[in-house]
Structure formats: C-alpha cells, structure tokens
Amino acid sequence: MEPFTTLTAVAAPLDVPNVDTDQIAPARFLRRPRREGYADVLFHDLRYAAPGVERPEFVLNRPPYRDARILVADRNFGGGSSREQAVWALVDGGIRCVIAISFGDIFWENSVKGGLLLVRLDEPEVAALRRQLHARPGARITVDLERQSITAPDGRALAFEIEPARKRRLLLGLDEIGLTLRHEDAIAAFERGYRTRRPWLFRHGAPGAG
C-alpha cells in the first residue's frame, strides 16, 4: 500500500450529497478479482450513459478534472452497503483523498485499509472549497497528513482531525497484513514459547500437529 504523506493535486467538486457505495462501485462489478483493477468501475453509472459513452456533464469527465486525485464531496459520502470495492475503485481511479462533511461509517473503516485518506470538515469549509474549485476548474489543493492541514486554492489553511492510529497507518502505508508483520518477531517469540510450554501438541501424530 502506498504511503500517504503530502499530496498536491487537482481537486474535483462533487456537489451531490448521499453518494452511496453502489454509486461509487455498482454491485454488478463486485465479483471482479482485486488484481484486475477497479478504475473503470469508479462512478460507472454516473460517468457512462452506455458502454464507452461518457456523460459529459459528470465532473470527472470534464477536461479540467480528469486527472483529479482529490474529491471534495458533500455529506454522507460512502453511505449504504458495506463493500471494500468502493475504496478500491476510488484508489484505482487515482483518488487518494476525499474531503466531505460526513462519511458512511463502514466506508470510513474500509478506507484506511486501502490507503484512502478521508477528511471531515465543517459544512462552510467544504462548501467554500467546492465554490473555489468551480470558479477555477483544474485548481489544486494540498493535503499534508503529517501536519493535518489542507491548503485551499485561495491559499487558506484548514486544519483537520484524524485518529493517531489511522494517521500512522496511512503515513507508513500499512494495510492489515503490513500492520501484523510489524509484530513478526513478537509473534515468532510467542510461537516458540507456546511450543516449549505445550510440546505434546506438536509431537508427531498429535491432533493439529504440523
């Protein structure tokens, strides 16, 4: 998983509230293996009128925002059913950060596993960011995770809160497996001690013996 430290990138305004996980990654694509990628799934039914036919009015289909890596949404982004594929679609589609007033609870928990930074700001701050992005299509925003700061297109700095454990995982680029492997020595020591204390469990022919 790619670490998240500082990102300066084009940001796209997504004015619609209550964008749910089925809009982010429609259910009919969910059986696709992770290794095949989900970039083309992202907002599929919002982006395409028919296979290969883009809806020109959708923000990510507009030339100034095609390379956006930051989304500034509204409220309750990522609500609805639980699906980690929604996070995969955003990350594979180039989005590393979503700024919104609020997020779906399960989507919030899934995001850190995929290296996606979610930032909650107050409604006036989010609305002001979107207004600036509409006024200056293709404008960039800087997100500094270490400092917990966002620099708006007009240069204003906005502070945000994030749980320390969540921040650490994103900074280090640790998914759940990576987080576990950081304790590999302690796990190995426990296994050695367990074998020493209960050797009969590991004798040949014992139930569960390897």
Side-chain angles (χ1 to χ4, degrees):
M1 192 169 81
E2 183 182 354
F4 191 112
T5 53
T6 301
L7 173 65
T8 298
V10 172
L14 191 61
D15 298 324
V16 183
N18 303 310
V19 175
D20 63 32
T21 52
D22 192 56
Q23 291 172 295
I24 300 170
R28 64 186 180 278
F29 297 105
L30 301 188
R31 292 190 177 183
R32 177 185 293 187
R34 177 70 183 98
R35 64 181 178 275
E36 292 183 9
Y38 274 72
D40 62 316
V41 171
L42 178 61
F43 297 125
H44 187 278
D45 296 346
L46 299 176
R47 296 183 75 167
Y48 301 101
V53 181
E54 292 186 345
R55 299 181 189 272
E57 70 276 11
F58 186 69
V59 63
L60 293 180
N61 291 338
R62 295 169 57 190
Y65 305 112
R66 282 189 178 273
D67 296 326
R69 303 201 69 198
I70 300 169
L71 280 182
V72 182
D74 196 275
R75 64 178 66 253
N76 194 34
F77 184 89
S81 64
S82 168
R83 61 186 67 175
E84 58 188 346
Q85 291 89 343
V87 174
W88 298 350
L90 285 160
V91 172
D92 289 0
I95 304 298
R96 289 300 312 276
C97 177
V98 182
I99 302 167
I101 301 163
S102 59
F103 296 92
D105 291 341
I106 299 175
F107 178 76
W108 177 267
E109 294 305 321
N110 284 338
S111 65
V112 71
K113 301 174 186 178
L116 178 67
L117 173 62
L118 304 185
V119 175
R120 287 188 284 227
L121 294 177
D122 292 338
E123 184 171 4
E125 295 174 323
V126 173
L129 283 174
R130 290 205 311 272
R131 283 197 300 271
Q132 292 178 49
L133 296 174
H134 281 297
R136 297 172 53 189
R140 293 172 177 264
I141 285 176
T142 295
V143 182
D144 187 328
L145 178 55
E146 183 64 54
R147 297 183 178 180
Q148 295 178 214
S149 176
I150 292 170
T151 304
D154 65 1
R156 182 185 174 198
L158 305 170
F160 64 90
E161 298 296 323
I162 185 170
E163 300 94 331
R166 188 182 191 89
K167 177 179 179 179
R168 177 171 170 269
R169 284 184 63 176
L170 288 165
L171 285 170
L172 296 175
L174 294 175
D175 58 14
E176 291 177 319
I177 293 174
L179 195 63
T180 300
L181 289 176
R182 287 179 66 85
H183 303 283
E184 188 173 10
D185 290 345
I187 294 169
F190 172 83
E191 290 179 340
R192 288 193 298 271
Y194 192 80
R195 283 177 174 270
T196 299
R197 293 191 300 273
R198 294 172 173 81
W200 60 89
L201 294 176
F202 300 94
R203 293 174 186 149
H204 181 70

